[in-house]
Amino acid sequence: MRAKITYAVTAAVLVFYFALAGSRGVLLIRHGTLLTVAFGVAVLILPLIGIWFLWKNTQFVRRANVLAAELDAEGGLPVDDLVRTPSGRIDRDSADATFARRQAETEDTPDDWRCWFRLAVAYQDARDTPRARKAMQRAIALHNTGTPTPKATPSPTGTSSPSATQSPTGTSSPSGD
């Protein structure tokens, strides 16, 4: 719940900023000189990019939450049994061990969105946010279409863990650095 409130407050602040910047862009355009019109257009472009980015992220979060709710209803959400440091951070070795299980599960059933969802959680636990996001996008795509996504999405093999080392067979194995 705390994350939802934080996201909503951040989104509201961003929308306020976009409105403020947009109004300044309109004022610059109204001034009418070549320089102020050029600056006004540039100032209007930034809030438009920001709104698009906020919209795409909001869609991603909503879709991921739909998957989480469905997986929760099935009883398939990953259990948080990771070892934590005294400060509350996830222990690296514990995250790597869980990651290895999730990676093997995903390699066994690469067309199952549930496996990709759990792999995304494992990536996030291993503090590899970009790969976590790509794995979640793959899970969303598989859930929506029931078919694999294009080859541009991450595969569960290769350099999958932030601390992964390439084995001679071409698969990755997590290392606890």
Side-chain angles (χ1 to χ4, degrees):
M1 186 61 170
R2 181 183 221 180
K4 288 181 181 182
I5 292 171
T6 302
Y7 189 82
V9 169
T10 303
V13 169
L14 283 172
V15 168
F16 174 75
Y17 167 76
F18 297 151
L20 185 64
S23 69
R24 297 299 178 216
V26 169
L27 287 175
L28 285 169
I29 291 171
R30 279 186 173 169
H31 195 270
T33 67
L34 182 60
L35 185 62
T36 60
V37 169
F39 278 142
V41 169
V43 167
L44 282 177
I45 289 173
L46 292 175
L48 292 176
I49 292 170
I51 288 170
W52 173 82
F53 184 74
L54 182 62
W55 175 251
K56 295 304 275 183
N57 277 313
T58 302
Q59 283 182 323
F60 173 77
V61 168
R62 294 180 87 199
R63 290 175 182 152
N65 284 339
V66 166
L67 267 61
E70 188 172 327
L71 204 54
D72 186 30
E74 294 174 358
L77 275 179
V79 177
D80 186 4
D81 58 356
L82 298 170
V83 177
R84 298 189 185 271
T85 63
S87 65
R89 293 189 94 178
I90 295 171
D91 178 63
R92 184 61 177 202
D93 293 334
S94 178
D96 284 345
T98 300
F99 175 83
R101 282 196 326 266
R102 299 300 180 204
Q103 181 183 18
E105 176 185 89
T106 306
E107 287 172 350
D108 290 343
T109 54
D111 293 334
D112 185 3
W113 67 266
R114 294 161 187 85
C115 294
W116 282 97
F117 183 95
R118 289 187 285 265
L119 182 64
V121 172
Y123 273 127
Q124 189 64 37
D125 291 342
R127 294 183 227 132
D128 189 350
T129 304
R131 287 191 179 118
R133 188 172 180 91
K134 287 182 181 179
M136 187 60 73
Q137 288 169 340
R138 175 82 184 243
I140 291 167
L142 286 170
H143 181 266
N144 290 342
T145 63
T147 59
T149 55
K151 297 285 183 190
T153 58
S155 108
T157 58
T159 343
S160 298
S161 173
S163 60
T165 55
Q166 198 72 15
S167 72
T169 62
T171 59
S172 65
S173 61
S175 65
D177 49 348

